Each structure stands twice: as structure tokens, then as C-alpha cells.
Amino acid sequence: MLSVKNLHATVDGKEILRGIDLEVKPGEVHAIMGPNGSGKSTLASVLAGNEKFTVTDGSVEFLGRDLLSLSIEERARLGLFLGFQYPVEIPGVTMANFMKQAVNEQRLFRGEEPLTAAEFLRMMRERSAVVELDPKLTARAVNEGFSGGEKKKNEIFQMAMLAPRLAILDETDSGLDIDALRIVATGVTKLHTAENATVVITHYQRLLDYIVPDVVHVLYKGRIIHTGDKTLALKLEKEGYDWLINDCRE
Amino acid sequence: MEAFLDTIRRFRAVDGRRLTVAQSEATPFAAVDPGQLRVEVAAGASAQLAVVHTAAGAASLEIDLAEGARLALTEVFLAEAFAEVRVRQAAGSAFALVVVQTTSANGSWTVGLEGRDASCEADCLFLAAADEHCVVRLRTDHRVADCRSRSLVKGAAAGRAVGEFHGLVYVAPDAQRTDARQQSRNIVLGDAARIVAEPQLEIYADDVKCSHGATVGQIDDEAILYMRQRGLSEAQARRLRLEGFAGDVVSRCGIEPLREALDALVAAKLELF
């Protein structure tokens, strides 16, 4: 589904990604861990198509397409979803209006009819239940005045609305209390199928108690320095990254 | 413009140079290109008035609100008119102003809060494209104690357009416990458009709550990126953002059919942005 080969990227002339290789298959859950500043969020942004970053080498194939040749919105319409670490507030634009345009734009891309108002409202009601999001929030401006927990729930709500093939969740667990973490993580699990895949970027093992990964990667200084199964996350929680980083220096 | 005027025609037309509201009226009044108009709302009465400028020229409105009177005024500029509006408010009266300029226009509003416990709310929007020049001058005079005023002036300029907001809140020496808030939010699109926003406070009383602020910025890239990541094109995202920006003011219009017509008017104007 996603095949990243030797991906290099820079921001303001500084190289952040220095040769990433990553293979994600349908039905898989990958976790990407690593110390601060290792390039985790940059990887998410580059895959999503954020123009702030420049890809200097390597290739990315997504569902058989050359991902790097596509704009942000083309990638989204193909089924790539980014859960933002810091969801953006958009004053004056209601969640309902925003989601209606997004859902229908993606349907149009797939050659499907736009949803009727009734279909759309029912869909919003059903999907907001996935993350126990107060349906009243959909009448409010996007993320405006939302609490930290509501913002993250709202990311997963949007994921539920758009039903992406690949969801990249960038530190969706940061700033969540234990109840909100459970709700958000359970929501992600509910949305998981054999046809879609999830890449979870996180600092903490605790998220992976709920979203159990098939593969765990450690990113350090712009490279994946170690890959293992779910037990790797537990080991990292206990022992930190030093043993891997020391290895890497040798 | 025709569709907009169709909506206005459903209201009660104001003839002549004087409108006197003796008792509360449910049907909104409408004045198209009023020239000179004097409006009086009697004590305790409430009314809604739409004023629409469809031709270049000058208009002058004198508005008097008696004790406890309420008036919602929505003033729309569809042509390059010059309008001067003076409002005098007696004790306990409430004035709600919504202004929409979708073309070059020059409007000046002076609101005198002359009786205790009077309140004024003003929400203004200008959308200037191409070579247009929009001007909003808003002066609120707190002449006596215990009055409240709030104003929000929003503007967007594209092309080589210019927008100006000059605001003044004046608080007289005896106007203690004044509560006055004045905000201006502006978006400039492109390098050649320009917006000048000058909110000012002149305070001579010491026990007051007053605030003012103005921002002039561009459409925030983060918001556009966020919307594009959900599948909207850049043009759609910018459009949605601008509609949201304008919607803040339009949603304040308490005359429902007029509010819908304003939404359509604003949407049509934003095609040019």
C-alpha cells in the first residue's frame, strides 16, 4: 500500500529525513517511535505533502501512484489521512460545513454522488459516536474553543468521516488524559479493517496498549535505526532509546 | 443586485424623509437610497430597518431612540454611496448595527449614548476587490454612566483595493462604569491590496472597562493546509475561510430573510477574491 524508499527531505536547507525505508501493507498497524527531534513529525508532514518540506531524494509509492508527484489534496482524496499533532482552529467555518465539503469532494474524486443533507447528518451522528464526540461540536467552528481532548477526538472523528486507506496519526496521544486516550485509541481500533492501514507516531507505549502494532520502528536522526514487533515498544518504555542509539554510533 | 432587492421589497417601504415608530413593529422597514431620513423610535418600541444604497450619492440618517427603544439597523452598500448616520440613544435603549459594503463605499456612523444603561452593538464588514476603496468610520460617544458598546469591524481587500477603518470610542468624564469594546480584524490578499485599521480610545473617566485592538494579516496558511489535507482544493479552502470570516458579521443581522440575501451577496462577491 505504502512503499517509502530512501526518502530524504529538508526544511530551510536543513536535512531532517536522511534515507527512510518503510513498507506498509493493508491491514497493518505500524508504530513509529523515537526521541524528540528524530524526524517523526517531518515524516508525517512529508507523506501528507506539506510544501514547507523539500524532498531531495528517494521515492514514495501509495496505492500504485507516485505519491510525491501529487498535491496535498490529491493525496487526501486518494485516501491518505493525517491526524495533526496540533489541530488547527478555523474561525467561522463550522465542522459540519467543513466535513460536508471534504466528504463530498472525496466522493466526487471516486466518481460517487454527493451525499444528501439527510445522509450526511446521519453519517455525522454515527461517526461522532465512534469517539464519543459531543454532536453539538459539529455545529461549532473547526477546533475553535475545543479542549485538547476534544481536538484529538475531532481528528479521529474526521478520520471516521473520511474512511481513509492509510491514516498517519501524529502524536494523537499527546496532551490527552487517560480517559480521553482510551476513547481516542479505541476509536482508531474500531475504524481498523483488513483493507486499511494505520501508522501511529507516538512517544509513549501506553497508546500501544490500545492500538496494538504489528510493527514498531525507531526513528533517530532521520533514519529508521531499528524495527521490531510490539515487544519493542515495551522494551523502549523500560530501557529508553540509549541502547539503540549507542548501537547506531558504533 | 436584483435578487437582493427582491428581498428588500418584501419589507415595508419607507416613504419620505421621516419614519416614526410609535409602537413595536414585527415587519422590517426598508429604505432604498434614502437621501435624507429621520428615524424616531418611541419609548419602549422596537423596530428593524434595512437601508440599502444602490446608487452613487450621499445619504444622511438621523436616528433617535427614546427611552427603552430598540432598533436593529442593517445598512448595505451595493454602490459607491457616501452615508452619514447619527444615532442618539436615550436611557435603556438598544441599538444594533450591521453594515455590509461589497463595493467602494464610504460610511460614517456616530452613536451617542446619552442616557444611562443604553447599549450599542456594531458589526461591520467590507469586501474590497480590484480598485475598490471602502471606508468605515465608527464613533461611539459614551456621554453618561453605565452604558455598553461593542463593535467588530472586519475587512478583506484583494487586488489593488484599499480598506480603511477609523474607530473612536469616546468616554466623557462622567461616564463611569462604561463598558466599551472595539475590535477590528482584517485580511489582505496579495501584495497590492492595503488595509488601514485605526481603533482609538479617548477616555476621561476612571472607572471604566475599555478594550480595543486591530489585526491585519493574511489568510493563515496552516488553516489552508489543514483543509487541503481533508481533500479540499486550495481555492475551496480559501473560499471557505473567507466565507467564515465574513459570516461572523452577516450572522449578526437579525432580519432573517435579509441575512440569507446577505449570505448570497457575500458569496457572489467572494468569487472575485
Side-chain angles (χ1 to χ4, degrees):
Chain A
M1 171 183 277
L2 179 76
S3 177
V4 180
K5 292 200 170 78
N6 191 35
L7 184 64
H8 289 252
T10 60
V11 62
D12 302 328
K14 193 173 164 230
E15 189 167 51
I16 310 288
L17 301 183
R18 303 191 301 152
I20 301 271
D21 292 285
L22 180 66
E23 292 285 333
V24 180
K25 296 188 182 65
E28 288 183 344
V29 175
H30 288 239
I32 297 181
M33 305 183 74
N36 280 330
S38 56
K40 301 188 298 294
S41 287
T42 299
L43 176 60
S45 295
V46 168
L47 292 176
N50 188 332
E51 291 133 359
K52 200 169 77 183
F53 299 91
T54 311
V55 173
T56 51
D57 202 3
S59 66
V60 182
E61 200 182 291
F62 176 57
L63 297 170
R65 301 278 299 266
D66 172 13
L67 191 73
L68 300 177
S69 69
L70 304 174
S71 66
I72 304 176
E73 56 269 33
E74 287 168 327
R75 298 178 196 202
R77 293 169 195 166
L78 265 182
L80 189 149
F81 178 90
L82 174 64
F84 283 68
Q85 183 179 1
Y86 303 108
V88 182
E89 299 190 7
I90 313 176
V93 179
T94 64
M95 270 309 298
N97 192 10
F98 174 44
M99 273 298 102
K100 191 170 182 184
Q101 293 213 22
V103 166
N104 281 336
E105 198 54 43
Q106 297 209 11
R107 289 179 69 87
L108 185 73
F109 178 80
R110 296 192 297 263
E112 298 165 8
E113 292 285 307
L115 293 176
T116 65
E119 286 168 337
F120 178 74
L121 285 175
R122 189 167 58 240
M123 183 180 177
M124 282 224 303
R125 223 174 18 246
E126 284 167 10
R127 308 286 164 94
S128 58
V130 172
V131 280
E132 302 176 28
L133 186 76
D134 184 348
K136 284 194 206 84
L137 290 184
T138 58
R140 299 234 311 257
V142 178
N143 291 320
E144 199 182 36
F146 286 28
S147 71
E150 284 167 345
K151 281 183 182 170
K152 295 302 177 84
K153 282 185 193 175
N154 193 29
E155 291 297 289
I156 307 307
F157 163 64
Q158 293 173 57
M159 177 180 161
M161 290 295 286
L162 298 169
R165 296 295 304 278
L166 174 67
I168 302 169
L169 305 178
D170 188 6
E171 301 207 16
T172 296
D173 51 344
S174 67
L176 290 184
D177 64 37
I178 203 76
D179 288 324
L181 177 76
R182 178 181 46 76
I183 292 166
V184 163
T186 309
V188 173
T189 310
K190 280 183 201 159
L191 297 172
H192 194 64
T193 69
E195 277 77 47
N196 63 25
T198 310
V199 174
V200 183
I201 292 171
T202 181
H203 269 294
Y204 303 106
Q205 198 277 329
R206 58 175 195 173
L207 176 70
L208 306 178
D209 286 341
Y210 299 98
I211 307 173
V212 180
D214 301 294
V215 189
V216 176
H217 309 273
V218 176
L219 193 63
Y220 181 65
K221 289 194 174 170
R223 286 196 189 96
I224 289 176
I225 58 166
H226 195 78
T227 294
D229 62 12
K230 62 181 178 186
T231 58
L232 175 59
L234 292 164
K235 188 171 158 85
L236 291 170
E237 179 86 349
K238 222 182 289 167
E239 301 177 17
Y241 295 106
D242 282 353
W243 61 281
L244 279 172
I245 291 168
N246 291 337
D247 261 11
C248 169
R249 286 199 186 109
E250 278 161 15
Chain B
M1 195 198 282
E2 270 315 300
F4 189 85
L5 291 175
D6 278 345
T7 303
I8 296 298
R9 288 189 192 106
R10 284 147 61 187
F11 302 157
R12 191 186 305 189
V14 175
D15 294 325
R17 296 192 162 180
R18 199 175 191 96
L19 168 65
T20 307
V21 181
Q23 55 195 35
S24 295
E25 295 284 349
T27 308
F29 292 94
V32 178
D33 299 318
Q36 281 195 325
L37 179 65
R38 184 168 173 79
V39 179
E40 288 169 359
V41 184
S46 71
Q48 298 171 314
L49 171 64
V51 171
V52 186
H53 304 280
T54 68
S60 158
L61 269 73
E62 296 277 340
I63 298 174
D64 270 299
L65 303 186
E67 275 192 26
R70 307 174 77 83
L71 178 68
L73 169 65
T74 299
E75 192 161 357
V76 185
F77 293 75
L78 303 174
E80 188 168 358
F82 183 92
E84 217 175 340
V85 180
R86 288 176 182 280
V87 185
R88 276 182 298 273
Q89 294 189 240
S93 63
F95 178 58
L97 171 69
V98 170
V99 173
V100 176
Q101 298 180 340
T102 54
T103 179
S104 285
N106 192 325
S108 162
W109 293 264
T110 304
V111 180
L113 297 159
E114 298 178 354
R116 280 199 169 193
D117 207 30
S119 68
C120 164
E121 298 215 332
D123 293 273
C124 309
L125 171 72
F126 61 79
L127 300 173
D131 291 316
E132 288 165 350
H133 188 162
C134 293
V135 181
V136 170
R137 288 175 206 278
L138 178 62
R139 177 179 174 131
T140 313
D141 290 338
H142 284 259
R143 301 213 169 273
V144 298
D146 298 310
C147 292
R148 296 173 304 284
S149 68
R150 180 193 63 73
S151 65
L152 173 65
V153 178
K154 297 182 98 172
R160 290 175 304 282
V162 178
E164 289 181 53
F165 164 57
H166 305 280
L168 175 63
V169 172
Y170 168 86
V171 181
D174 293 334
Q176 302 295 1
R177 296 174 301 282
T178 286
D179 186 341
R181 287 154 217 279
Q182 181 185 213
Q183 287 294 327
S184 174
R185 301 262 172 270
N186 303 281
I187 293 180
V188 173
L189 294 111
D191 298 330
R194 202 159 58 87
I195 290 183
V196 180
E198 293 180 332
Q200 289 182 57
L201 291 172
E202 221 180 290
I203 303 172
Y204 298 100
D206 50 18
D207 179 15
V208 298
K209 272 195 286 188
C210 293
S211 65
H212 70 156
T215 58
V216 180
Q218 310 205 325
I219 289 193
D220 42 340
D221 293 339
E222 293 291 311
I224 300 303
L225 178 90
Y226 189 76
M227 290 189 268
R228 289 176 68 197
Q229 208 299 305
R230 303 312 188 224
L232 273 60
S233 68
E234 183 163 359
Q236 275 177 310
R238 292 172 72 86
R239 176 65 186 267
L240 201 55
R241 181 68 191 86
L242 282 171
E243 278 178 10
F245 178 78
D248 260 6
V249 170
V250 173
S251 67
R252 288 277 175 176
C253 171
I255 308 171
E256 200 179 318
L258 183 57
R259 187 169 64 237
E260 286 165 13
L262 284 173
D263 275 332
L265 187 71
V266 165
K269 180 67 183 186
L270 289 178
E271 297 284 347
L272 305 176
F273 277 68

